[in-house]
Amino acid sequence: DHLEVIEKGYMPTREEIVRQTGKGPMAQTMAWVDAGVGAVLRKLREMGRAKDTLVIYLSDQGNVGKSTNYESGTCISFMACWPGVIQPNTQSHALVDTVDMAATFMDVAKAEDLPGMNQDGQSILPIWRGEREANKTAIFTEIGYSRAVATAAWKYHAIRYPQWAIDMERRRRKDPKWLPPAGGPMSVASKQLWRKISPSGQNRANVGICDLDQLYSLKDDPNEKRNLADRPEYAAKLKEMKALLATHVKRTGRSFGELYQAEAPALPAGPRR
């Protein structure tokens, strides 16, 4: 199914892509991207600049889990090409985040941080050079009222609704006792209501779990469909992952349920009357 790029020194036209693939829009889109990357790499070789150029390919978030902290929304395609530095046809299982890109580019360019500049990421260059196998042991993500931490083998999600959001939804519904769903899968009937105060902003079409605490074994359950947070045999692992997330939440300085209660900023004194 791989599209052979026509050696014309430029990308094939869309018509050529459609004619060669003969498949649906998804296959044609993938072939078009493939041809574009091929054109760039070929031009670099023609210019004799391939060994001087780091090429990185990153995709957007996944469609199924888009706008969520789940693997289907946060795990993306990542490929890099740098002849003479990155060994061809190699794979790395190191945890890498998009915030690592800025630090990596500065490292490659031998640039120094500006005074007072704090890098959120870490350079991947030592991993590419084979100097170390990994930079970090965990990746942190967040969206809406949800935070998550992922290690190589485990994933923990926490949903914590701020009281102001609940109060706002209660006023909208004219129901002072309303509470957001906090356990089990969403019913079809509740999905539209859930979206109004969803931790992600979108419905989870693939799983639809809204438990406040979610623990998944990425090795045994990469699609995150079996929440282990309530099982006694995983209590120690849940505590460990929750502590890991709490450390990160405190570092950000923003309140998030019981994981961190930031002090309210002091308000300036009002005018004396």
Side-chain angles (χ1 to χ4, degrees):
D1 293 334
H2 178 71
L3 174 70
E4 293 296 331
V5 178
I6 302 175
E7 294 292 339
K8 293 184 177 178
Y10 58 87
M11 281 186 62
T13 65
R14 292 181 181 271
E15 290 75 15
E16 288 172 328
I17 293 286
V18 172
R19 186 170 62 252
Q20 291 183 63
T21 60
K23 299 183 183 296
M26 181 60 71
Q28 293 167 8
T29 299
M30 293 174 65
W32 178 255
V33 172
D34 185 57
V37 173
V40 171
L41 296 179
R42 186 171 60 251
K43 191 63 176 179
L44 287 171
R45 290 194 297 269
E46 292 174 356
M47 297 171 61
R49 301 301 301 272
K51 290 187 177 181
D52 302 326
T53 307
L54 167 63
V55 178
I56 290 179
Y57 177 90
L58 281 172
S59 73
D60 196 4
Q61 70 271 17
N63 287 330
V64 175
K66 183 176 181 179
S67 297
T68 74
N69 290 313
Y70 294 93
E71 293 292 282
S72 55
T74 57
C75 282
I76 60 175
S77 299
F78 180 92
M79 292 176 281
C81 175
W82 194 1
V85 178
I86 302 175
Q87 191 69 21
N89 301 316
T90 58
Q91 292 184 347
S92 171
H93 297 286
L95 294 176
V96 175
D97 201 350
T98 50
V99 297
D100 296 327
M101 295 299 98
T104 300
F105 297 151
M106 293 187 69
D107 193 8
V108 169
K110 296 181 175 58
E112 296 183 359
D113 291 351
L114 296 174
M117 180 179 177
N118 294 316
Q119 286 278 6
D120 290 327
Q122 296 174 271
S123 173
I124 311 171
L125 188 55
I127 297 176
W128 286 337
R129 286 175 170 165
E131 298 170 0
R132 66 170 71 115
E133 292 186 358
N135 278 339
K136 55 186 68 172
T137 58
I139 294 287
F140 300 93
T141 58
E142 66 174 84
I143 187 165
Y145 309 132
S146 177
R147 306 284 187 274
V149 55
T151 63
W154 292 91
K155 186 79 167 282
Y156 168 66
H157 301 252
I159 301 173
R160 299 293 186 269
Y161 299 101
Q163 188 60 46
W164 65 262
I166 296 176
D167 292 340
M168 182 174 64
E169 187 65 9
R170 284 174 173 175
R171 289 193 296 270
R172 190 188 72 81
R173 293 169 179 267
K174 298 180 180 180
D175 180 0
K177 296 182 179 181
W178 178 87
L179 289 172
M186 292 183 291
S187 66
V188 175
S190 68
K191 281 189 176 181
Q192 290 302 316
L193 298 178
W194 163 253
R195 187 172 183 176
K196 296 291 185 180
I197 195 170
S198 165
S200 64
Q202 293 197 10
N203 297 326
R204 286 207 57 217
N206 58 335
V207 179
I209 294 176
C210 50
D211 296 341
L212 298 184
D213 292 290
Q214 302 176 33
L215 179 68
Y216 301 100
S217 169
L218 297 181
K219 178 181 178 181
D220 301 323
D221 181 25
N223 294 322
E224 298 166 286
K225 292 187 177 181
R226 297 186 298 275
N227 184 10
L228 306 175
D230 292 333
R231 299 190 184 183
E233 61 268 36
Y234 295 104
K237 178 57 68 174
L238 176 64
K239 182 179 179 180
E240 173 190 331
M241 296 297 288
K242 185 178 287 189
L244 193 59
L245 180 60
T247 299
H248 173 72
V249 169
K250 292 173 183 176
R251 190 161 55 238
T252 66
R254 291 179 290 124
S255 295
F256 188 66
E258 83 288 358
L259 296 179
Y260 177 56
Q261 296 290 342
E263 295 183 4
L267 298 177
R272 296 183 180 275
R273 294 182 181 276

